[in-house]
Structures are given as C-alpha cells and as structure tokens.
Amino acid sequence: MQEFMATSERRAELYWWFSTLFAAELSDAQIAEYDTYDVRSFLKSLSTLDPMREAVAELNDAIARLLVRPERQTALAADFAGLFLSAPGQGALPYESLYRGEGKQLMQAPMTEMQARLDRLGINVSDKYNEPADHLAIELDLMGSLIIRAAESTTAAKRESWLGEQESLLHGHLLGWFERFEQACRAADKFGFYGASARLLGVFLKMDANYLSLVKPAPSAD
C-alpha cells in the first residue's frame, strides 16, 4: 500500500506539472526554476526510465537553449500564443474537440462529455481555468485529482472505482486525441520547448496506461 501511495503521488505530480505547462505562459520565475537542482534532478529521474530517456534528452536540450534565449519569457510567451491561442487551423490548439470525429456535432461531443464528467464527479475547475472542459490542461489536472482520490480511498472498492475513473479518462479521452495534438505541436513549434514537452507527455501517457492495466485488480473467478 505504501508503494501504491508513493507511486500515486508521483503520477499526480507529473500530470499537474504537464497541466501547468499547457495551461498558461510561463513566467520568468518559472523558467528560472528549470535551471535549479530540483528540476534537473526531477528530469534526471525521469530519464532513468528507458521509454522516457530520448524525450527527456530532447527537453533538456530545449531547456538549455531557453535559459540563454534573449528575452526568454517574452519569446516563450509568443511561442505559447502562436501554438495554443491561435485561430483554428493554425498552431496546435489544445482542445480535444478539434481532434475527434467529423462534423460539428461530433466535434462538440468531447467537450460535452468532459463537462458532464466534471459535474458528475463534483469537480469545479472554473476557478483555475477559463477554458472549455476539453482543454488539455483540464484533462491532465483532472487525472491528477483522480489519482489522489484513489490514493486516499479508505476501502479497496472505492480505490478500484477511482482507478476505473482514471482508465476511463485516459482511454476515453486523452489517448484518443493526444497523438494528433502532439504531432501538430511538434510540427508548429520552431523553437522546440513545447514540442519536446508534448513528446515527453505522450510517452508518459502510454506508460501510465500500461501502469493502470497492471495495478487494476484482476476480476474475481466465479
């Protein structure tokens, strides 16, 4: 149980970190944190996982260039705006609805489904995000919350229920559209910081899906 708790805290931290990256422009103070021992150690720990090694190396290269980039905060904020705040058809807008299905009705479904999920779970994100419910940052933030709820569950049944919620969100939403978003982000990001971040997130999502398949209790035999 202690191992499950520790892993849950680690997973939630990663989801919330990625959510922060795609939610808003980074301040200069946030950028400066990438030159600290804590962040370097954090990324080094991720690189010990074989599937993440190359993606971490790419992000570290982008960070090294960012730290010496002239007017780095302004320049990175311009990258963010060009990628994630642009008009439809430009950049890489981080909304599930833009990457799922054909036609207006089908494209609206993910946003409606995500809002219904938030309402059902009693989770209000309006105080943190001024975005539709299918925004990447909201889906990632929600995953972090579901992970902590599973970790804090007092019974095996409740824990299994929250693990099921995680699987549903991951397979029913994030994994269904993120790869197309990642490709768009990497193609549009000339500097490479957000493209590298998206690559690392893509690797993490697949690893996390594998983890959930392993930690999920086996069905009982009748």
Side-chain angles (χ1 to χ4, degrees):
M1 188 60 186
Q2 288 184 342
E3 181 178 353
F4 176 76
M5 291 285 292
T7 302
S8 296
E9 290 177 2
R10 179 72 160 172
R11 290 173 60 224
E13 287 174 358
L14 279 167
Y15 274 107
W16 286 330
W17 174 60
F18 281 118
S19 177
T20 299
L21 282 178
F22 293 101
E25 301 92 333
L26 296 179
S27 66
D28 195 60
Q30 289 175 308
I31 294 172
E33 290 179 2
Y34 284 87
D35 196 27
T36 63
Y37 173 81
D38 286 345
V39 174
R40 289 195 298 268
S41 297
F42 163 70
L43 292 174
K44 185 177 180 179
S45 70
L46 295 183
S47 69
T48 63
L49 304 171
D50 286 343
M52 285 189 168
R53 184 169 293 120
E54 291 184 4
V56 171
E58 181 180 337
L59 181 56
N60 275 328
D61 177 71
I63 290 171
R65 290 183 288 107
L66 173 62
L67 291 173
V68 297
R69 191 179 187 185
E71 302 293 330
R72 63 189 187 187
Q73 195 281 326
T74 303
L76 191 64
D79 291 347
F80 184 96
L83 289 167
F84 309 133
L85 303 177
S86 58
Q90 302 176 13
L93 296 179
Y95 303 97
E96 181 181 356
S97 298
L98 297 178
Y99 301 90
R100 299 290 292 264
E102 300 291 339
K104 184 175 181 181
Q105 183 175 1
L106 288 176
M107 291 175 72
Q108 290 296 321
M111 181 173 61
T112 302
E113 292 168 2
M114 277 299 303
Q115 187 58 58
R117 182 183 296 269
L118 290 168
D119 293 341
R120 175 174 59 81
L121 296 172
I123 296 176
N124 181 14
V125 297
S126 61
D127 57 337
K128 296 174 64 176
Y129 305 100
N130 185 26
E131 294 286 354
D134 66 331
H135 190 284
L136 175 60
I138 293 177
E139 294 189 4
L140 295 173
D141 186 275
L142 177 56
M143 273 295 293
S145 296
L146 295 177
I147 290 167
I148 294 303
R149 290 196 178 191
E152 294 177 345
S153 295
T154 55
T155 66
K158 289 181 179 179
R159 182 165 60 251
E160 184 174 354
S161 176
W162 288 116
L163 288 171
E165 291 285 355
Q166 294 171 45
E167 277 199 319
S168 177
L169 178 58
L170 191 55
H171 290 281
H173 289 275
L174 280 163
L175 288 176
W177 69 280
F178 184 80
E179 186 173 355
R180 292 179 62 190
F181 165 77
E182 178 188 346
Q183 292 171 351
C185 185
R186 289 178 64 77
D189 184 16
K190 295 181 179 179
F191 183 77
F193 175 80
Y194 288 108
S197 299
R199 179 187 179 187
L200 183 59
L201 175 53
V203 174
F204 170 63
L205 291 177
K206 292 175 183 176
M207 290 181 63
D208 202 48
N210 183 61
Y211 169 78
L212 283 175
S213 70
L214 295 174
V215 76
K216 184 179 179 181
S220 58
D222 295 328

